[in-house]
Amino acid sequence: MKVRQARWAALAAAVLILPACGAPDDGGSNKASEPFVIMISGGADAGPVTDQLRTALTAARAGVATVNEEGGINGREVKLLESPDNANPTKALSALRAQIAKKKPDAYLVGAGSNVSAAIAPILNQNKILFVNAANIAATGDPKQHPLAFNLAASTQVVVEGYLPMFEANGYKKIGVLHGNSAYAKTFGKLAESVFKGAGYDVAGVEEYDSTALDMTAQISTLRAAGPDVVVFNAYGAPAGYVLKGITKLGWDVPLLGDTSVSSTPLITQEPPVGLLGSPDLKHLKLEVTKSTVYDPSAEATNKAVKAMTSIGQIKGSMNNCLGYDAILLVAAAAKSANSTEPEAMAKALEDPSVTSAAGTAVYPTYPFSADSHEPKLPLDTHSFAEPGPIVNGQLNSPK
Amino acid sequence: MTLIYAGLSLGAVYALVAIGYNIVFVASRSFNFAQAQLMTIGAFVAYTGHVTFGLPAIAVVLLAMIAVMLIASIEERIAVRPVADHQTQLITTLGFGTMLTGIAQLVWGSQPLDVPFVGAKGAITLLGGRLYTFELGLIVLAIVLVVVIHLYNRRMMSGLALVAMSQDDEAALLRGINVRKLAFAAFAVTGLLAGLMGFFIGPKTFAVATLGSALALKGFVALAIGGFGSFYGGLAGGFAVGLVEAHAARYLGSEFSNLSVFLILILVLMIRPTGLFGQLQERTV
C-alpha cells in the first residue's frame, strides 16, 4: 500500500515538475542563437486602408533588411513574421494567440489599423511582449497601462498644434473645422476645437461628416454660413475628394488646410487622370506634411530608408505610412543600448531620448519617449505645410 | 436650393440602385444584392474606357454596359439559377457582390479614381442653386429610366410578360411565357443598366471598390420606402432618402443623417407596410 502511495506521489511530483523543466519561452538571453522574431499585422486586402497596410509591410521588411545588414539585433538575425489578418482585429488576435501558444514572438508591430492595436494590446501586455505601434491608441501611449508598448505616430495633439504657426503667419482669426467620424477623426475635431480656442482663435464652426457619406454639401454649407477665414479638415480617401468638390461647387474661395490624412490620399497627390492634382478643386488647398514627406537631399537617414523600401516594394501614400521602418530600427537600437533582448530592458532603453535619436530613423529623426509617456513628444515644427504636388516614393519633390 | 440639388442628386444615385433591385424583383421575386457592386464595376469600366483606353464617350458607355451585362449574366448562371429558393439567393447574390468588390480592389486598387464626365466640368447655377452637370445628369437619368421602364412594362409584350411573371410565374408559364429566359434577360438588362448608371455615378462618387457597400443599404431603404416592385416608388424613395439625408446633415448634424433616414423608413412602413407605392396582394390561406 505504501509502495503504491509512493508511486502516486512520485507521479504527481513529476507532473508538477516536468513542465517547469521545459525551455522557458521568456524572450531572454538564452535565445542568442535564435532569430529575433517580430510579428506584424499584415495581409493584402484591408479595404480602404489596403495601401497603408501594404506600405507598412514594405517599410517593416526594409527595416528588417537594414538591421540584418548591420548584424541584426544584438547578433540575432531579425525575422519578420507576417500575420495575414488584413487589419482585421479578430483575425489578428487569433493569429497572435496561436503564435504565442506555439512560440512567443520577441516583439509585435502594427503598421495600420488602430482597431488591431486595441484588440491585441492587452494580450501583448499579458504576455510581456514589446509592442511598437504605428496605429496609435491612447492606451499604448500610457506606460502605466502598457509598460512595454510605444506609439510611433505623431499624436493628434502634435498634428493639431502644427496649424498654429500657419494661422499666425497668415493672420487667420476665425477657424472652421471639418472632420470625419472615425475614432481618430473625432479626436482630431475635439482637439482642434480646444487647442485653437486655447490659443486665442475664434472657432467659427466644427462640422462632422459620416465617412461613408457620398456628399458633403450640407456640412460645407453650414461651415460657410459661419464665415471662417480658413477651413481645417481631416479626410482620407474618397471623402477628401467629396470635400474639395463640394467647396468648388459652392464657389467658396476659402483657404483650406488638409491634415496629414489628406496628404496621404493618392487622389490628392497624384496627377490626372488618376488624381485631382492641378484641378480647380485644389486651388486653395495646402497640405500638412511631416518634414520627411518633402524630399531633402541632405536627409541621409530618410533617403536611405526610401531606397531600401523602393528596392523591395512600393511606397503608397506619404512617408507617414512608413513608420514600420523606424519601428524595427528603434527596437534594434534599444536592444543594443540595453545589451539585452529582454522586453523590459528594451522598453527602458527606448525611454532614453539619446537611444531613439541615434537609431537612424527615417520618418521622424527622433522619438522622444519618457518614463511617463510612451507617445513621442515631437516638437511643434515636426510638420510643415506644402502646396499639393505629386507624391512619388512617399515624398513631394522626389527625384524619382 | 443647392441643398435640394445635393439631396436630389444623392437620391438619384440611391434611386438607380433601387431601379436595379426592382427589375430583378419584378421578373423573379428575388433580390439581387450585388446590384450596387455591378454599378461600381460600371464606374470602374467607365474610368478604364475614358482614361486607360482614351475612348470617346459613346464607346465608353457601350463598353461599360456590355461589360457589366456580361458580369450580371454570369451572376445569374452561377449565383441565382442553381439556387432553388429566393431566400438562399439573398445570400448567393450577396456573396457574388462581395466577390465583385474584391475583384475590383485587385484590378483597380483600393484608392478612389476620378472618373471624367463628358459634359461641362464645372458647377452651374440653376434656379438660384449650385450643382455639377453630372449631378443634373444623374437626376434626369433616374427620372427618364423610370418613365421608360414603366412604359415598357405597360406597352411592350415582353414587358407585360415580365409583369405576368411577377404576379404568377406558373400561370405565365402555362400561357407560353419562357419564364427562365425572361428571368435571365432581366438580369442581363439590369447589368446593362448598371453599366450605364456606373458611367453617370462615377464622376460624383469616384470609382472606389467600397462604393457598392455604401450604396447597397441606402438603395434598399429607397426601395422599401417606395414599395417593392414599384419603379416610381423606388424613384420617390431614393429622392426622399437623399433629401432627408442632406437636410438632416445640414440642420441637425451628420450624426442625425442616417438616423433620420431610418426614422422615415420606420414611419412609412408603420403607416403603409407595403411602402408608398407598393401594392397589397391577396393570398389564399
Side-chain angles (χ1 to χ4, degrees), chain A residues 248-270:
Chain A
T248 306
K249 180 169 80 175
L250 295 181
W252 189 19
D253 292 332
V254 68
L256 291 165
L257 300 176
D259 78 338
T260 50
S261 311
V262 181
S263 60
S264 294
T265 299
L267 184 72
I268 308 300
T269 57
Q270 301 298 315

Side-chain angles (χ1 to χ4, degrees), chain A residues 308-321:
Chain A
M309 286 186 272
T310 50
S311 69
I312 57 171
Q314 275 186 297
I315 303 174
K316 296 195 171 181
S318 71
M319 285 297 286
N320 275 351
N321 296 341

